[in-house]
Amino acid sequence: GTWDELWEMACSRNIGLTDIPIVCINADGYYDAFRSILQRAYQDELIKLRPEEVVHFVPDAEAAVRWCEEQNNNNNKHEKSCEIELSTK
């Protein structure tokens, strides 16, 4: 997805419009600033969910697939898929 779509999904998760798990592949720290913004927003009480409840960050694609499989197994009864955000460096 695009940067705009990532923010849209993060906002949708935060306000309860979706509960689809979101994972960012944070290759070479690409999403560190995004993670920092989420943390600051939580500290300032601008978002209600902890940042790790909004978006999960992993270092590589293999970890993202593993995490999505775990999420899908844990939520199997609700038929959820997992959104994966890739950096486009």
Side-chain angles (χ1 to χ4, degrees):
T2 64
W3 184 246
D4 180 53
E5 291 168 334
L6 174 59
W7 276 105
E8 181 179 350
M9 289 304 297
C11 290
S12 293
R13 253 185 90 71
N14 181 62
I15 63 174
L17 293 178
T18 186
D19 58 356
I20 296 172
I22 303 168
V23 61
C24 282
I25 299 172
N26 194 24
D28 298 323
Y30 186 83
Y31 287 107
D32 286 349
F34 179 63
R35 185 190 316 213
S36 294
I37 292 168
L38 289 175
Q39 185 60 45
R40 175 68 188 267
Y42 181 72
Q43 290 168 347
D44 291 347
E45 299 180 356
L46 298 174
I47 62 174
K48 65 180 182 171
L49 297 178
R50 293 186 328 266
E52 57 273 9
E53 294 175 298
V54 177
V55 179
H56 184 74
F57 296 90
V58 296
D60 56 47
E62 185 177 319
V65 170
R66 250 191 336 269
W67 186 82
C68 284
E69 287 173 345
E70 290 170 9
Q71 295 305 301
N72 288 335
N73 288 338
N74 292 339
N75 299 313
N76 205 10
K77 59 185 171 230
H78 298 292
E79 297 262 343
K80 296 176 189 167
S81 63
C82 186
E83 296 288 327
I84 299 177
E85 183 67 28
L86 301 171
S87 66
T88 55
K89 277 177 98 174

